[in-house]
Every structure is written in C-alpha cells, then in structure tokens.
Amino acid sequence: MRDRSLAYTEAEDDLLVKQHSPLMSPLVWDLAHVGNYEELWVLREAGGITPLRPEIDDIYDAFKTPRKDRPSLPFLGPAEARRYIEGVRGRVLDVLDRVDLEGPSPLHRDGFVFGLVIQHEHQHDETMLATLQLSGQPGLVREGELPPGRPGGPDEVHVPAGRFLMGTDTLPWAYDNERPATWVDLPGYWIDRLPVGNAAYAAFIEDGGYDDQRFWTPEGWQWRQRKGITAPLFWTKDGGTWHRSRFGRTEPVPMDEPVQHVSWYEADAYARWAGKRLPTEAEWEKACGWDQVAGRARRYPWGESDPGPSLANLGHRAARPAPLGAYPGGASPYGAEQMVGDVWEWTSSWFQAYPGFRSFPYKEYSEVFFGEEYRVLRGGSWAADPAAVRTTFRNWDYPIRRQIFTGFRCARSELV
Ligand SMILES: [Fe+2]
C-alpha cells in the first residue's frame, strides 16, 4: 500500500500541490493525510504516544475542510509530507511489537486498528487514482496485463427465494457499517451474470436512452438536463466511434469491458431501458457470497482464498477493468462473475444502518452518512486493494458521482 501511495505521488511538485478537480484533494494532501490518520489511530490511540506534529491535525482532518476548499490549506509540501509519513511509519512498527492483539481493547483485538489504517490508506490510493484520471496527465499510471474475456454464457443467473446472512460478526477487519450480521429473507430474483458492458451501454445511448425521460427518475432527469449529460464521463464521439480518455490517453472504447464512470442516475436509467432494475444491496450481497448448500457466507465469491490474478481484477494490476468473462474461476456459488474487482457496482439501496448497528471506532466513519443521501456501491474496482474488498464491504457516494471507478449490473424479480 505504501508503495502505491508513493508511486501515485511520484510526479512533479506542481502536479502534486494542484487541485485537479473541486471533487478531489491535491495529491500531496492525501499523502500526508494517510500518515496523519495512521499517527492518530496507531501511535496515539493504540500506542499512547504523544503527538508528533499536533499543529497539522486540523489541516488533515477530512471533516474540518471539504475537498473543494483544501487547496487553500497550509498543507505540507511534497518533500515534507514524505518525511512526515515515513517518521510515522517507523514508530508504528514499534507499536506493533508491543501491542497485545489478544487484549481486551476492541481497538487492538485481532489488529483492528492496523486493519483500519491499512484499509484507509488503500482507499486513499484509489482516490489518488481517480485524481490522476481527472488530471488528464499521461504517463503517470502503470499499465499491466489482464486475462482475456470469454464471450457467450447466460445473461443472467437465478437466485432462489430464501434467507441468507447479510453482513458479518466475524471478519476481524470489517467496518462498523458491515455489522452485525442479520438474517434477510429475499424472494427469488435474477441478476446479470456480468456487469453491464460498454457495447450494451453504447446501445442504450444509440437508442436515445439519454433523451427519453421515461427511463429517468425526476432527480436524475433534472441532473441530466442541467449538466447536459449524454454519455459516461470521459467518453467522446469521434467520427461515429466512441472514444474514452484514460489516464491522459485517448483510445477507442473497448466494447467488451464493463462500463465505468457512470452515475447512479445513469445506471438506474439504463436498467429501466433494459426492462430491469438495479439490485438492492441485499440482492447483490446474496448473489455474491451466499453458499446455499453450506448455509454460510463466503468472504469472496469463490471462497476464502486470497484474490489471485486468475480470480479477480483488484489492486491495480492494470489501469482498467478486465474484459467481460475474464474470471470464470471467480464465479459466486450462484454463477455470478466479476462481482468483486473491475468496477464498483451501484445498488438501488440507500446507505443505512443494519439493525443493531453500533458506531465504532468513531461516528464519522459511517453513522453520519446514514440516511437518504448516499447510494451503496459494492464489490470494489480494479483500483481497490484486496484488503479493502470483501462480500460484505459497503461503499457509498452521491448518486451524481462519476469520477469513481463505477459501473453496475441489473436484476429483476422472479415472475410469480
Ligand atoms: Fe481519509
């Protein structure tokens, strides 16, 4: 993770201190923020060490200054930020040596506090990639090889009616919003075997999907009209062919990849056009990880083993989603593929607490976001690290957001 944080900030100072979009922080802010968070939680809270630089806490408190205002903060410059995070990391290793991971503190138990800062840094690595994509600067992001796609196969898989255990009580690094585990009874439904691909999405556009109000919610239609949205973010049409800009390069849109950079409103409109709907969060999670035969949930769709390169596209192996059908070995018990990795997937659900939720270790992690403002995203993208992805993991964002690496798949209720 640290190698990723450093790699994404291996650029000219100008690029690091500049704000590339009001939606994002300057890259160097993210870099020192991950170190400051690590200092707060591991050194101070878990290790009882006195603050190294208390005067910078306010600068790096994400709740004190919204992203759009961060360029005006007196944040550390690139060289100083690197020195600071290195100093923190050196002391973290001392704390790791003397903290009792079996002790009574819930912050220490099973290394939760280390899981907290590790996942936090990985999440910021993904945020930094989104910033680099918005910057339009070529040559900063590593590319890599992915397995080939696999055409054919059924469009949908069937999930029979029945109870499943949603969320977790046992995964040690799970966040408060994934807890407690709850039995949920669902009617039967069909869910797309794969995320919606660029070819299908282009067909929606060509069919006038963006111009037909019937497919859109009133809020979605208003947003689409006001912003003049006619295609996914970073797409342009050139001589009858769709192109996309990806990390500073323009290329034809690969029709066999999952669509990414669409808002919840676009995903929802597409689903209606296709005669379907977005899955609820519960439907998504059941299709992803419930093993009906064993009567238990899997950590990943394929089981408990770590996501190797033949199972899922995670951790920035390449700077894009893999072609559709690239991971037959990563299929879920119900046969759904590419649920983990490639693109985050919008669900129809608001980000809400599970029954019995208890805030831990602080309210600003999840609780302050609950309500009817944010939609839930599931599954992690190609840019997400395996440590911060699992069947139960919940992400959330505003329905208008498109800079994140997000796509979707559709579902439909079983006919009765
Ligand atoms: Fe953060």
Side-chain angles (χ1 to χ4, degrees), residues 34 68 99 129 196 200 206 209 211 227 247 278 291 297 313 359 376 379 385 404:
V34 298
K68 69 176 174 41
V99 157
L129 276 172
V196 169
E206 305 305 336
D211 301 315
K227 300 277 184 186
F247 297 105
L278 292 178
D291 182 341
N313 180 18
S359 169
V376 172
D385 187 87
I404 45 183

Side-chain angles (χ1 to χ4, degrees), residues 81-125:
R82 288 185 196 106
R83 262 198 311 278
Y84 168 62
I85 65 167
E86 205 185 307
V88 172
R89 182 56 56 87
R91 288 169 178 84
V92 162
L93 301 177
D94 298 339
V95 173
L96 191 53
D97 278 346
R98 60 185 174 75
V99 157
D100 178 9
L101 300 183
E102 311 298 317
S105 159
L107 205 54
H108 297 183
R109 199 178 302 138
D110 297 319
F112 177 83
V113 72
F114 297 100
L116 180 72
V117 299
I118 288 169
Q119 292 181 87
H120 177 256
E121 182 157 349
H122 283 309
Q123 287 167 298
H124 274 275
D125 287 344

Side-chain angles (χ1 to χ4, degrees), residues 21-24 67-68 134 223 227 229 233-234 260-267 346 373-375 377 396-407:
S21 155
L23 297 177
M24 312 307 278
R67 284 180 177 175
K68 69 176 174 41
L134 283 163
W223 167 80
K227 300 277 184 186
I229 307 284
L233 187 61
F234 307 118
Q260 59 173 355
H261 299 302
V262 288
S263 69
W264 185 89
Y265 291 133
E266 290 164 288
W346 289 112
E373 212 178 340
Y374 301 93
R375 298 284 183 177
L377 298 140
W396 62 95
D397 215 328
Y398 291 114
I400 59 170
R401 287 290 180 253
R402 315 205 290 167
Q403 85 282 7
I404 45 183
F405 305 108
T406 298

Side-chain angles (χ1 to χ4, degrees), residues 29-30 33-34 37 60 62 67 70 120-121 123-124 362:
W29 185 94
D30 282 290
H33 165 79
V34 298
Y37 192 87
Y60 294 108
R67 284 180 177 175
R70 289 181 193 161
H120 177 256
E121 182 157 349
Q123 287 167 298
H124 274 275
Y362 58 104

Side-chain angles (χ1 to χ4, degrees), residues 35 130 192 197 250 259 290 353 362:
D192 290 352
T250 301
V259 66
W290 185 242
Y362 58 104

Side-chain angles (χ1 to χ4, degrees), residues 352-374:
Q352 303 273 22
Y354 292 165
F357 167 84
R358 283 204 345 260
S359 169
F360 178 76
Y362 58 104
K363 267 192 162 162
E364 289 75 17
Y365 189 77
S366 310
E367 194 173 343
V368 298
F369 299 100
F370 289 147
E372 298 198 348
E373 212 178 340
Y374 301 93

